[in-house]
Amino acid sequence: MAIVIEIVNRSGQVLDCQVFYKDKVTVGRAYYNDLVLADSYVDPVHIQLSYQQDSDSISCEDKQSVNGVYGVKQKKLASTSQIQPGDTITIGKTLLRVSSVNANVEPAIPLSFWEELSDTLTQWWFILCASLLLGILIIIDIYISTPLLDDKTAEFMQWVYVLIGLAVYGGLFSFIGRVLHHDNRFFLYYVLSSIALVILFLYGWLSSFIVFNGYFSADTGWIDKMVLSVVIACLLNVSLRFSTYMRCLTRGIIVSVLPMLVLMSLFVNLVKSDEGFHSSPPYNATVFHQSLYVRKSKTPEEFVRSSQALYLQAQVVAEDTPSKDVLPSSARQSSH
């Protein structure tokens, strides 16, 4: 009969698995053990595991170790104890899950949509396409923002800065995933952050059309903050989904911190503002592509007429408002 020993972490993740085709297995730091552990809190010969075929259980014998053996719920076991296949015991700081080859093994978990998506995003062609698209957008943005500048060497350095930022972001979440999931998905987080930057670049170019056709005011900082917050929140949510064991609710609470701060600042600015949000853009709001107009802009004649109407309305309001009589200083003194 064979004994199966799995080395697991605190969350139950299997770090190593070994099968011993014998009835008795010794575990310790000494090299002549069947299972050698690199744990300084484990004795040279810490325990001996024996399979009991008649009761389909495993006997654990403590070889007079210094730190003893702990079972389920960290309860210290006796010198000789019976453990059921699948139970986890602790020796030193190492967790061992002991079972037999006849123990039931759970069926495979089907791949979720997120796992399939991660496999697609880490394909070499997808990584190459994301990098090329981001580079093309950066080059176009440089030439649009600085059309009269001949030497664009300094501007092209932002491409290098973007690549460094993507590498740092991918390395950070890759390290978190390595610690928790024991896998390295650097290119997955690299591609996710690249997609987020592509979305922000495209929004930056289309924001003027959104402002003009949406009857917003020229001050669109609140829209930019909202879009940036949503993109960052989605990016962090997906990254935490792949790199941690956090549940959806926990991830949502963590990634909602930035949008909530933005919403609070927008609310405060709206309360303090005397004008609030405008129902129509100012006259000088312009866009460059006529094909994207979905409404007509005001003609100069319409603008002049609306300005005159506003001026006359302001005069009427000023005449109806009573003004306070301010006495000169000499009159105030005479009154006293």
Side-chain angles (χ1 to χ4, degrees):
M1 187 57 61
I3 299 177
V4 181
I5 302 179
E6 296 174 318
I7 302 177
V8 298
N9 58 12
R10 298 290 178 184
S11 60
Q13 183 76 22
V14 178
L15 306 180
D16 190 16
C17 180
Q18 296 190 33
V19 181
F20 302 93
Y21 292 93
K22 54 196 313 185
D23 293 338
K24 294 184 179 181
V25 176
T26 59
V27 181
R29 281 191 298 113
Y31 296 134
Y32 50 79
N33 287 288
D34 297 304
L35 178 60
V36 181
L37 299 177
D39 187 346
S40 57
Y41 297 92
V42 173
D43 281 59
V45 181
H46 202 106
I47 59 173
Q48 177 178 287
L49 300 173
S50 303
Y51 180 75
Q52 308 294 331
Q53 188 172 1
D54 53 349
S55 61
D56 193 22
S57 61
I58 298 174
S59 173
C60 178
E61 180 183 356
D62 187 358
K63 294 294 187 178
Q64 298 180 351
S65 62
V66 174
N67 295 315
V69 184
Y70 293 85
V72 181
K73 296 182 180 180
Q74 294 300 308
K75 182 179 180 181
K76 191 171 185 179
L77 302 180
S79 58
T80 301
S81 303
Q82 298 292 326
I83 59 177
Q84 297 300 319
D87 287 349
T88 300
I89 61 175
T90 304
I91 59 174
K93 290 190 175 182
T94 304
L95 278 70
L96 302 177
R97 187 159 59 204
V98 184
S99 60
S100 65
V101 292
N102 294 329
N104 293 328
V105 179
E106 296 180 358
I109 301 174
L111 290 174
S112 64
F113 165 78
W114 295 104
E115 294 296 335
E116 295 179 353
L117 177 63
S118 66
D119 294 338
T120 302
L121 294 180
T122 51
Q123 297 292 329
W124 67 268
W125 56 268
F126 203 100
I127 299 172
L128 181 61
C129 291
S131 301
L132 289 178
L133 178 59
L134 182 59
I136 292 173
L137 292 178
I138 292 176
I139 293 176
I140 295 175
D141 184 68
I142 291 173
Y143 276 96
I144 290 178
S145 58
T146 57
L148 302 179
L149 188 63
D150 294 332
D151 187 9
K152 295 182 174 58
T153 305
E155 281 70 20
F156 276 111
M157 284 300 297
Q158 67 175 323
W159 192 354
V160 179
Y161 300 148
V162 168
L163 295 179
I164 294 176
L166 296 178
V168 171
Y169 183 87
L172 174 62
F173 278 94
S174 179
F175 174 77
I176 296 175
R178 182 65 179 175
V179 172
L180 298 179
H181 278 184
H182 306 284
D183 60 356
N184 189 342
R185 300 188 181 187
F186 171 80
F187 288 107
L188 172 62
Y189 308 116
Y190 174 88
V191 171
L192 289 175
S193 52
S194 301
I195 294 175
L197 284 181
V198 169
I199 294 174
L200 291 178
F201 268 108
L202 294 178
Y203 167 76
W205 292 346
L206 297 177
S207 59
S208 60
F209 308 123
I210 297 174
V211 170
F212 184 81
N213 295 320
Y215 287 86
F216 295 113
S217 65
D219 183 14
T220 59
W222 65 278
I223 305 179
D224 300 338
K225 291 180 181 178
M226 288 296 298
V227 173
L228 178 62
S229 301
V230 170
V231 172
I232 292 178
C234 293
L235 175 62
L236 292 177
N237 195 354
V238 177
S239 300
L240 291 175
R241 169 67 176 79
F242 286 116
S243 62
T244 66
Y245 292 99
M246 293 181 183
R247 297 184 179 273
C248 181
L249 179 61
T250 307
R251 296 196 310 270
I253 294 174
I254 293 176
V255 302
S256 63
V257 173
L258 178 59
M260 289 302 297
L261 292 177
V262 174
L263 288 176
M264 290 176 61
S265 64
L266 291 176
F267 179 76
V268 171
N269 293 334
L270 181 60
V271 170
K272 292 181 178 179
S273 177
D274 296 331
E275 299 179 357
F277 296 110
H278 299 283
S279 60
S280 61
Y283 173 71
N284 58 356
T286 58
V287 290
F288 300 101
H289 298 282
Q290 299 291 334
S291 59
L292 293 178
Y293 283 9
V294 296
R295 68 178 181 86
K296 293 177 60 178
S297 61
K298 292 183 179 179
T299 62
E301 293 77 10
E302 293 173 342
F303 176 72
V304 170
R305 286 197 298 269
S306 62
S307 300
Q308 291 175 348
L310 290 175
Y311 177 73
L312 295 176
Q313 182 181 359
Q315 280 187 330
V316 172
V317 173
E319 291 176 357
D320 293 340
T321 303
S323 59
K324 296 182 180 180
D325 295 330
V326 180
L327 295 175
S329 59
S330 59
R332 289 200 299 267
Q333 292 176 359
S334 63
S335 64
H336 290 293

